[in-house]
Amino acid sequence: MTAIKHALQRDIFTPNDERLLGIVNVCKAGKKKKNCFLCATVTTERPVQVKVVKVKKSDKGDFYKRQQTWELRDLTEVDAKDASKENPEFDLHFEKVYRWVASSTAEKNSFISCIWKLNQRYLRKKVEFVNVSSQLLEESVPSGESQSVAGGDEDALDDYQELSTREEQDIEGMMEMCEYAVSNAEAFAEQLSRELQVLDGANIQSIMASEKQVNILMQLLDEALGEVDTIEGKLSSYEEMLQSVKEQMDQISQSNRLIQISNTNNVKLLDEIQFLVNYMDLSKGHIRALQEGDLTSPKGIEACINASEALSQCMNVALRPGHDKLMAVTQQQLLFAELRDTFARRLTNHLNNVFVHQGHDQSSTLSQHTAEMSLPKHSPLHRDLLRYSKLMEWLKNTHREKYEGLSRTYVDYMSRLYEREIKDFFEVAKIKMAGTTKEAKGKFATLPRKESALKQETESLHGSSGKLTGSTSSLNKLTVQGANSRRSQSSSLLDMGNMSASDLDVADRTKFDKIFEQVLSELEPLCLAEQDFISKFFKLQQHPTVTPPLALPETEDIDGGTQSRIPPQAEHRQSLSSEKDLVRLMMNKIFQSIETELNSLIALGDKIDSFNSLYMLVKMSHHVWTAENVDPASYLSTTLGNVLVTVKRNFDKCISGQIRQMEEVKISKKSKVGILLFVAGFEEFAELAETIFRVAERRGDLDKAYVKLIRAVFMNVEKVANESQKTPRDVVMMENFHHIFSTLSRLKISCLEAERREAKHKYTDHLQSYVINSLGQPLEKLNHFFEGVEARVAQGVREEEVSYQLAFNKQELRKVIKEYPGKEVKKGLDNLYKKVDKHLCEEESLLQVVWHSMQDEFIRQYKHFEDLIGRCYPGSGITMEFTIGDMLEYFSSIAQSH
């Protein structure tokens, strides 16, 4: 173990300026034995660092390498496992517990003893030793020497002293001088003993010879001690002097500290006073503006704004701890509160007067705007009031009750003003709509404008469909006479079939469209301007969120009942949401009559002409889309969206009404059917709808209506055809489906492409059916003869042998052919032409088409007969009494003669 300790000191620790004090050969507990060494070391340089190093012998050579190092100060506990029995196991507790098994109990005890000594000297008993025998610790520090170990006697720790380089060289030189130093150690030891005795004698003689010098040295030491005493006396006197100076300096330092504290307090006091003066002082000009400032002039308003902002800054200043206990601060706060209340009262009274005056102002009446049918603009009022917007914000932050009272006052008086203007505006609009018929105009001109009569007329007009309030005074008369006369012209597809587009009052519809557009165009900027003013004046911020452009999806079907508009999908924080709700609530109260008046106007338009719902659907959809793009959460967007639901419902009712009237149609039993009224009416409807919806946003609504209508048309055409007695079913189907096919081909309605192909297919099928049924067998006996021939061939008789059959010989064939000379054939065709002409109507001009199809069918039969004669009677020379050329001449001459 000593050789290993020497090798480790030399190879590992000396290069790192460390000394090896303790070593133990160990392996890890519970694992395959891989021996290593735990070494206790200290550094040679100060401050001394004590370490525990794990050293392992290399597998590839006979040298050692440092594997892991721990600081001894990180060691918390040494556990020897058993203090009474010999046990080579022990634990070292660093950041985790390391369990070791020593090669022997003696090595373990020696290493633990070394650790205990190092702990006593360098760590001041920081490490805890558990299960360690007290006798082992006592042996580590013998009696009388514990004090020296604690005081730092390093010799007790040095079990091994390494030779210096010079000592090694001297030993090597001495051993070289003695040749038998290695072979005869005893002779070498005796020689060294003799030389040592010689050296000891020389040393004694040298000491005895140096006694005189020792005496001289002692004398010099005595003199030096005397000088030291003298110097100590002088140092004592100097120390007394310095002590007195120190006391004086302490007094001066104390005085300076008190002066510094006083200065610091004065600076802080000045800072507090300066703070209060800067932030708690309101100028006389501001006080005067708050107490008696002019709230009518721009300069006075500006001065009041500046004064209110200064007052808010003074009242909202964050006081430092203790300021609220100062009397001056309390007095200023009371002054500020009094000024705030006084100015809030003055501002509230002034704005109340402005609102009341505007609400009662009769100068802006609709009579000035009747000619151009426009609503009065309130931009001058808004411009004047916006000067007070900052004062309203101040009032909102300081006096919430007065701010809310002003809001209610504004809403109350402005709602009265807008209600008068809107009712007058809608009354003019209804008069202009009713003016589309002269009779209705006369009724309007003679009616008295009384509120009670108005209510009765309105209820009379709408009946059970719901009460629609408004300010018009002529709805009842219009409904009874003007609207009924119009409905008789254009309220159904059946009636439209009776007239051309010129018979329909296109000018009236165009005029209605313009009036309705003008109504919406006037309402839109009015509502947006008022909402923008409310947001700015009452400081209710709006943050709109982009949503799909139409409030009502095109896929939604509305068929009666209460249906609410889908709200815009947006998420807002609670504060912004409440402010937006407040704006919407104020707008609802101010314009509470708009939705009612719009519904009344829509009902009037629907009464005048049910097809006005097409115009209204397009216009209303466009304005909803525009309002959604501007602000999807605005009052205008919400209101127009609700009205759009009503328009869409009216449109659906219009379509349902047309379908119902198709189903109820009755035809005359004495006259031919021709083109059905609702088929012609669908053409007129499609032409009108395509014109109106050419650039509309809600094309999907029309497409769904088209599909419903065309299905109803198809179904009812077949129903009428089945019920027809005067006109053959095939003629009714052929003519009407040809008309439908022509209409759809001309209008090119993409959503009805499948129906267009279906109409063409039905027309073609029924044309062919009619031709075959009408033509029948014009050469009846000849047909029967050749049917018999074909039957014989089908039974197995060869074609060239058919002429040998008794009933089908050549003589029988010639006899049958002679019964159909050209004159008889032409006569039969002429009768057929008259019959077809009697069945077909003139409007569709299908006579020549049908006649040409009959010609083709007749020629087909003729060629079939000729082919049978050629195959079954070859070489007989038998031919028909007339040729294909004769037939073509018959058909042509008959068509020309009629």
Side-chain angles (χ1 to χ4, degrees):
M1 182 61 73
T2 304
I4 294 174
K5 185 175 182 181
H6 174 70
L8 293 176
Q9 176 67 49
R10 182 184 68 241
D11 297 339
I12 294 179
F13 299 113
T14 298
N16 294 326
D17 296 328
E18 295 176 307
R19 282 190 299 155
L20 178 60
L21 301 182
I23 185 170
V24 59
N25 185 6
V26 296
C27 63
K28 288 188 177 180
K31 293 189 177 180
K32 185 179 180 182
K33 291 188 177 181
K34 291 185 179 180
N35 290 344
C36 57
F37 297 97
L38 291 180
C39 305
T41 67
V42 296
T43 58
T44 57
E45 296 181 356
R46 294 185 183 278
V48 177
Q49 297 181 7
V50 186
K51 301 178 181 178
V52 176
V53 182
K54 179 182 177 184
V55 178
K56 184 179 180 182
K57 189 173 183 180
S58 175
D59 297 335
K60 298 182 180 180
D62 193 14
F63 62 90
Y64 298 91
K65 62 180 180 180
R66 184 191 297 252
Q67 191 173 23
Q68 193 170 359
T69 303
W70 300 275
E71 294 285 345
L72 190 62
R73 64 172 177 266
D74 296 333
L75 181 63
T76 59
E77 182 180 316
V78 176
D79 186 359
K81 296 298 184 180
D82 197 336
S84 59
K85 297 181 181 180
E86 291 188 357
N87 187 353
E89 296 183 2
F90 66 97
D91 295 343
L92 298 181
H93 295 245
F94 288 100
E95 74 279 0
K96 65 178 184 178
V97 179
Y98 294 89
R99 306 184 187 279
W100 306 100
V101 179
S103 60
S104 67
T105 306
E107 282 189 20
K108 180 189 84 169
N109 292 338
S110 176
F111 183 74
I112 292 176
S113 177
C114 180
I115 295 295
W116 190 85
K117 293 175 183 179
L118 293 172
N119 175 47
Q120 293 291 322
R121 179 173 181 181
Y122 295 107
L123 302 181
R124 298 180 182 179
K125 304 180 182 180
K126 177 183 177 182
V127 182
E128 183 180 357
F129 290 82
V130 181
N131 297 323
V132 179
S133 172
S134 58
Q135 183 181 358
L136 177 62
L137 301 181
E138 291 174 0
E139 291 176 356
S140 301
V141 185
S143 177
E145 294 183 1
S146 61
Q147 184 65 29
S148 65
V149 172
D153 185 3
E154 252 178 65
D155 295 337
L157 298 174
D158 295 337
D159 295 337
Y160 172 75
Q161 183 95 18
E162 185 182 6
L163 294 177
S164 66
T165 305
R166 184 174 178 180
E167 289 173 342
E168 289 181 358
Q169 292 174 355
D170 290 344
I171 292 174
E172 289 176 357
M174 183 176 60
M175 293 179 69
E176 289 174 357
M177 290 173 60
C178 184
E179 296 180 355
Y180 53 83
V182 178
S183 60
N184 192 351
E186 292 181 358
F188 180 61
E190 289 178 0
Q191 182 180 347
L192 292 178
S193 178
R194 288 194 298 270
E195 291 179 358
L196 181 60
Q197 290 175 1
V198 173
L199 290 175
D200 286 342
N203 285 338
I204 293 172
Q205 291 177 3
S206 176
I207 291 171
M208 292 176 65
S210 62
E211 183 177 359
K212 183 179 179 180
Q213 284 80 2
V214 171
N215 292 332
I216 296 172
L217 179 60
M218 294 298 293
Q219 184 179 356
L220 290 174
L221 288 174
D222 292 338
E223 292 176 358
L225 288 174
E227 289 296 328
V228 168
D229 292 337
T230 304
I231 291 173
E232 285 183 352
K234 289 182 179 181
L235 289 176
S236 297
S237 65
Y238 291 156
E239 186 177 1
E240 292 177 358
M241 295 171 64
L242 288 175
Q243 185 65 30
S244 117
V245 172
K246 179 179 179 297
E247 293 176 356
Q248 293 176 7
M249 292 302 297
D250 289 342
Q251 293 178 359
I252 294 173
S253 175
Q254 183 68 20
S255 299
N256 288 338
R257 188 163 58 254
L258 294 176
I259 292 172
Q260 187 177 2
I261 293 173
S262 177
N263 288 338
T264 302
N265 290 337
N266 289 334
V267 170
K268 290 183 177 179
L269 180 59
L270 180 61
D271 179 61
E272 297 293 333
I273 294 173
Q274 191 70 34
F275 173 81
L276 294 176
V277 170
N278 290 339
Y279 295 103
M280 293 289 290
D281 186 30
L282 196 63
S283 68
K284 293 182 179 179
H286 288 337
I287 294 175
R288 187 166 52 254
L290 293 172
Q291 290 178 339
E292 52 190 40
D294 185 8
L295 289 171
T296 58
S297 65
K299 289 184 178 180
I301 294 173
E302 185 66 26
C304 290
I305 291 173
N306 294 334
S308 63
E309 291 176 350
L311 178 62
S312 295
Q313 291 177 359
C314 291
M315 296 188 71
N316 296 329
V317 64
L319 295 177
R320 297 171 182 172
H323 283 178
D324 54 345
K325 297 180 181 179
L326 297 177
M327 182 175 294
V329 173
T330 305
Q331 291 177 352
Q332 282 293 95
Q333 289 177 335
L334 292 175
L335 174 62
F336 295 155
E338 183 180 355
L339 290 173
R340 178 196 62 194
D341 295 341
T342 300
F343 182 67
R345 189 164 50 251
R346 290 182 59 240
L347 177 62
T348 304
N349 291 337
H350 176 74
L351 291 178
N352 266 327
N353 292 334
V354 173
F355 298 158
V356 172
H357 175 73
Q358 182 65 24
H360 290 296
D361 188 12
Q362 301 294 331
S363 59
S364 296
T365 59
L366 194 63
S367 60
Q368 302 172 359
H369 305 269
T370 301
E372 64 276 9
M373 203 181 78
S374 62
L375 283 166
K377 307 301 180 187
H378 293 167
S379 53
L381 171 65
H382 293 167
R383 185 172 56 252
D384 292 340
L385 288 177
L386 283 177
R387 297 181 301 172
Y388 300 95
S389 60
K390 291 186 177 180
L391 293 177
M392 283 299 295
E393 183 177 14
W394 174 85
L395 191 65
K396 178 182 179 182
N397 296 329
T398 56
H399 266 283
R400 190 74 184 188
E401 299 81 6
K402 293 185 180 297
Y403 167 82
E404 292 175 352
L406 274 178
S407 302
R408 289 192 295 271
T409 302
Y410 177 82
V411 170
D412 183 33
Y413 284 96
M414 292 306 294
S415 62
R416 300 178 190 177
L417 176 62
Y418 276 117
E419 185 176 4
R420 285 197 309 273
E421 294 175 351
I422 290 172
K423 283 188 177 181
D424 291 344
F425 173 72
F426 273 93
E427 182 175 355
V428 173
K430 291 172 183 177
I431 292 174
K432 287 182 176 292
M433 284 184 183
T436 54
T437 60
K438 294 181 180 180
E439 180 184 359
K441 280 185 182 179
K443 298 295 181 182
F444 262 88
T446 58
L447 284 175
R449 296 178 56 187
K450 293 184 179 180
E451 193 66 23
S452 59
L454 165 65
K455 184 174 182 181
Q456 293 175 357
E457 291 166 359
T458 305
E459 293 177 355
S460 171
L461 168 64
H462 301 298
S464 62
S465 62
K467 189 178 296 182
L468 300 174
T469 60
S471 58
T472 180
S473 59
S474 56
L475 300 184
N476 191 29
K477 296 293 184 180
L478 172 65
T479 303
V480 173
Q481 300 180 26
N484 283 344
S485 63
R486 179 168 304 282
R487 180 175 292 274
S488 67
Q489 295 181 6
S490 60
S491 61
S492 70
L493 291 175
L494 293 176
D495 296 334
M496 288 182 66
N498 262 336
M499 57 196 75
S500 63
S502 61
D503 294 327
L504 297 172
D505 199 346
V506 178
D508 286 352
R509 289 178 179 167
T510 304
K511 184 175 181 180
F512 173 84
D513 183 38
K514 291 181 179 179
I515 294 172
F516 193 73
E517 170 63 23
Q518 189 170 0
V519 169
L520 296 179
S521 299
E522 287 292 321
L523 290 176
E524 185 172 316
L526 182 73
C527 294
L528 291 177
E530 184 63 31
Q531 179 167 322
D532 183 61
F533 167 75
I534 289 175
S535 300
K536 292 179 180 178
F537 182 71
F538 291 99
K539 294 300 177 182
L540 302 173
Q541 298 302 321
Q542 298 287 299
H543 297 278
T545 303
V546 177
T547 55
L550 288 181
L552 186 64
E554 293 182 354
T555 58
E556 181 180 357
D557 282 329
I558 300 174
D559 52 359
T562 57
Q563 185 80 14
S564 62
R565 172 175 165 268
I566 295 178
Q569 298 178 357
E571 294 182 0
H572 304 281
R573 288 178 296 184
Q574 188 64 31
S575 59
L576 292 179
S577 178
S578 61
E579 290 193 347
K580 292 179 68 175
D581 292 341
L582 184 57
V583 171
R584 197 156 37 242
L585 180 61
M586 294 175 69
M587 290 291 293
N588 283 332
K589 290 182 179 179
I590 291 175
F591 293 107
Q592 56 187 349
S593 61
I594 281 186
E595 186 171 344
T596 303
E597 292 290 347
L598 275 174
N599 286 331
S600 175
L601 189 70
I602 290 168
L604 174 61
D606 192 53
K607 288 289 184 180
I608 292 175
D609 185 348
S610 63
F611 287 123
N612 283 336
S613 60
L614 276 71
Y615 291 97
M616 291 188 287
L617 181 62
V618 172
K619 295 299 181 184
M620 189 61 70
S621 298
H622 174 72
H623 282 272
V624 169
W625 181 82
T626 304
E628 289 280 353
N629 284 341
V630 174
D631 183 1
S634 66
Y635 164 79
L636 179 67
S637 173
T638 305
T639 302
L640 293 184
N642 293 336
V643 176
L644 177 61
V645 173
T646 302
V647 174
K648 176 61 168 58
R649 187 179 292 115
N650 289 346
F651 175 74
D652 292 341
K653 288 180 180 178
C654 173
I655 300 302
S656 300
Q658 310 313 318
I659 295 173
R660 185 172 58 256
Q661 291 177 15
M662 290 183 200
E663 296 170 351
E664 296 172 355
V665 68
K666 301 295 181 181
I667 59 173
S668 173
K669 296 181 180 180
K670 297 182 179 180
S671 60
K672 59 183 176 181
V673 176
I675 302 300
L676 294 170
L677 297 181
F678 58 79
V679 173
F682 174 78
E683 178 184 12
E684 298 289 348
F685 172 82
E687 290 176 348
L688 176 64
E690 287 300 308
T691 303
I692 297 173
F693 281 78
R694 185 168 54 250
V695 291
E697 287 84 2
R698 296 186 66 87
R699 176 76 193 189
D701 294 328
L702 179 62
D703 290 344
K704 288 188 288 185
Y706 273 148
V707 173
K708 291 180 180 179
L709 283 174
I710 197 67
R711 282 290 137 206
V713 170
F714 279 19
M715 182 180 67
N716 286 286
V717 166
E718 294 189 9
K719 174 186 173 185
V720 171
N722 293 332
E723 296 175 354
S724 174
Q725 299 179 2
K726 183 72 174 178
T727 305
R729 179 180 184 277
D730 287 329
V731 173
V732 177
M733 297 287 285
M734 173 185 65
E735 288 183 328
N736 284 277
F737 279 107
H738 177 267
H739 191 85
I740 294 171
F741 169 71
S742 301
T743 300
L744 297 180
S745 299
R746 175 168 50 85
L747 296 179
K748 297 179 180 179
I749 302 172
S750 58
C751 67
L752 298 181
E753 182 61 27
E755 285 75 8
R756 185 186 71 85
R757 292 193 295 267
E758 183 181 352
K760 181 180 179 182
H761 179 70
K762 288 180 178 292
Y763 154 68
T764 305
D765 288 349
H766 288 286
L767 171 62
Q768 189 66 26
S769 174
Y770 177 68
V771 168
I772 292 174
N773 292 333
S774 298
L775 189 62
Q777 296 178 344
L779 309 175
E780 184 176 1
K781 293 182 179 180
L782 195 60
N783 265 294
H784 288 314
F785 182 85
F786 281 111
E787 284 175 359
V789 172
E790 290 175 339
R792 292 292 187 276
V793 173
Q795 292 171 1
V797 179
R798 296 175 61 182
E799 291 181 346
E800 58 271 16
E801 295 178 356
V802 171
S803 60
Y804 298 107
Q805 298 287 326
L806 182 62
F808 301 103
N809 57 29
K810 296 176 183 178
Q811 289 77 10
E812 291 296 327
L813 175 60
R814 289 190 179 96
K815 186 186 301 183
V816 173
I817 289 176
K818 286 182 179 180
E819 293 185 12
Y820 292 100
K823 183 178 180 181
E824 289 297 325
V825 171
K826 183 177 181 181
K827 182 178 179 181
L829 291 176
D830 187 63
N831 293 331
L832 178 62
Y833 185 90
K834 292 177 182 178
K835 178 182 177 182
V836 171
D837 185 31
K838 184 178 180 182
H839 288 164
L840 299 179
C841 66
E842 297 179 359
E843 297 95 325
E844 204 60 21
S845 302
L846 287 178
L847 179 59
Q848 295 304 320
V849 176
V850 174
W851 188 243
H852 188 271
S853 297
M854 288 184 171
Q855 174 183 295
D856 293 341
E857 176 64 20
F858 197 91
I859 291 174
R860 186 191 66 76
Q861 291 186 16
Y862 180 88
K863 289 181 178 179
H864 178 64
F865 296 156
E866 288 285 340
D867 180 63
L868 284 176
I869 292 173
R871 286 188 286 114
C872 298
Y873 303 93
S876 63
I878 301 174
T879 59
M880 302 289 286
E881 292 290 323
F882 54 93
T883 63
I884 291 179
D886 295 335
M887 280 193 304
L888 294 175
E889 193 275 331
Y890 297 159
F891 275 96
S892 176
S893 62
I894 291 172
Q896 291 176 2
S897 65
H898 292 280

